[in-house]
Amino acid sequence: MTAAGRPQRGGSSIGAVLAQLRSEFPDVTISKIRFLESEGLVRPARTASGYRQFTSADVERLRYVLAAQRDRYLPLKVIREQLDAADAGVPVRALRAVDGASPGVAGGASGSGSASAAGVGAAGVGAAGAAGSGPGMPAAEQFGGPVHRMTRDELLVRTGLEPSVLAELEQNGLIRAGVYDQDSVQVAATVRAMAEYGLDPRQLRGFRAAADREVGLVEQVVTPLYRQRDPRARGRADEAVRELAALSVTLHTLLVKAGLRDVAGNRVSPR
């Protein structure tokens, strides 16, 4: 029997799949699995009654996608391209397997037709967005999830920063002192890339200030929800935080994009 009490014939129910994934991905939800299905990243078969039936290959595919998002901060667009290439039998070169994810990913509606994706490479600067409201835009599912802390020494090893440089990033608010995680690694990589254009951490403080203002707006909206005694209110608040975060980053990206058209001299000629 499945977790929902229905006979498990050709595969597992979505509830059973959730139970299998929860130990490795504590924050995964049925809504998240449905979202990944809607994005074409997994294609479970359906019974005549419309119930999803996930094969073991479908579960491995989901595990691969979740690990790629969590460990490498890869956009869903990139993950989908890798999976599609693997499904088509196209060799994928110069890629590293995602930590903890199976390098062999099977696709197809029924889970047949295995693909030998070599894995997903380490995310580069700006690879935190997922396919949301538009190409390259973030999805709400990207925000939240478990945070893997690290020590200061671990951060220095991961980033190759000198202690004095890390101290400068902390002084300018780009990395929170004493609170280090994978995001800190990404921030350090981004700041290093921008330094190649002559921008130093002091000049980047405006990004910190802008981010704090956006966080403040989100906080105004969700604080009343978190104060409610209804146990379901926290879930609604968490969902609102994710949605607003994605919308905020999307709006910021679009406004910067529009402003840079003028900088690049690509003005649209009026008719």
Side-chain angles (χ1 to χ4, degrees):
M1 300 287 286
T2 67
R6 294 185 296 277
Q8 183 173 337
R9 296 178 181 176
S12 301
S13 68
I14 193 169
V17 170
L18 179 65
Q20 293 181 54
L21 295 172
R22 267 281 168 83
S23 61
E24 187 176 352
F25 306 97
D27 288 341
V28 70
T29 62
I30 286 180
S31 295
K32 172 73 171 184
I33 295 173
R34 287 173 176 163
F35 170 76
L36 294 177
E37 180 188 359
S38 71
E39 291 293 308
L41 293 161
V42 64
R43 297 177 289 275
R46 297 242 182 187
T47 66
S49 302
Y51 294 115
R52 296 173 178 83
Q53 289 190 315
F54 293 84
T55 65
S56 59
D58 291 326
V59 176
E60 286 304 304
R61 192 177 181 96
L62 284 169
R63 184 174 284 112
Y64 180 87
V65 173
L66 293 170
Q69 284 189 299
R70 181 193 65 190
D71 301 335
R72 300 301 185 196
Y73 290 78
L74 289 180
L76 289 182
K77 179 181 178 181
V78 173
I79 299 172
R80 185 187 303 108
E81 289 173 352
Q82 297 295 334
L83 293 175
D84 289 345
D87 289 341
V90 177
V92 183
R93 301 177 181 177
L95 299 172
R96 286 193 299 169
V98 175
D99 294 343
S102 170
V105 182
S110 63
S112 61
S114 63
S116 57
V120 184
V125 175
S133 57
M137 298 301 175
E141 285 74 14
Q142 175 197 333
F143 296 88
V147 177
H148 304 282
R149 300 294 186 192
M150 63 182 71
T151 66
R152 183 182 182 86
D153 288 341
E154 288 173 335
L155 178 62
L156 290 171
V157 170
R158 291 280 301 275
T159 60
L161 292 176
E162 293 294 332
S164 59
V165 176
L166 176 56
E168 187 178 5
L169 297 183
E170 293 171 340
Q171 290 168 5
N172 288 283
L174 298 172
I175 290 180
R176 291 176 58 191
V179 183
Y180 310 118
D181 53 24
Q182 181 61 30
D183 285 346
S184 305
V185 176
Q186 296 292 320
V187 168
T190 303
V191 171
R192 175 177 291 168
M194 297 180 80
E196 295 180 1
Y197 293 89
L199 295 172
D200 61 42
R202 180 180 54 80
Q203 293 172 298
L204 301 179
R205 286 183 296 184
F207 288 91
R208 172 78 273 169
D212 287 341
R213 287 195 295 270
E214 293 174 14
V215 170
L217 288 175
V218 174
E219 187 176 13
Q220 289 179 26
V221 174
V222 302
T223 294
L225 287 174
Y226 280 120
R227 289 176 176 171
Q228 293 181 18
R229 295 183 178 181
D230 184 354
R232 294 172 296 181
R234 183 171 184 85
R236 294 196 297 270
D238 290 342
E239 183 177 357
V241 167
R242 292 191 293 269
E243 293 287 348
L244 285 169
L247 291 170
S248 176
V249 174
T250 296
L251 178 59
H252 179 89
T253 301
L254 291 172
L255 292 176
V256 170
K257 183 179 178 181
L260 290 178
R261 289 197 187 100
D262 290 340
V263 174
N266 293 326
R267 297 178 178 83
V268 178
S269 300
R271 294 184 178 182

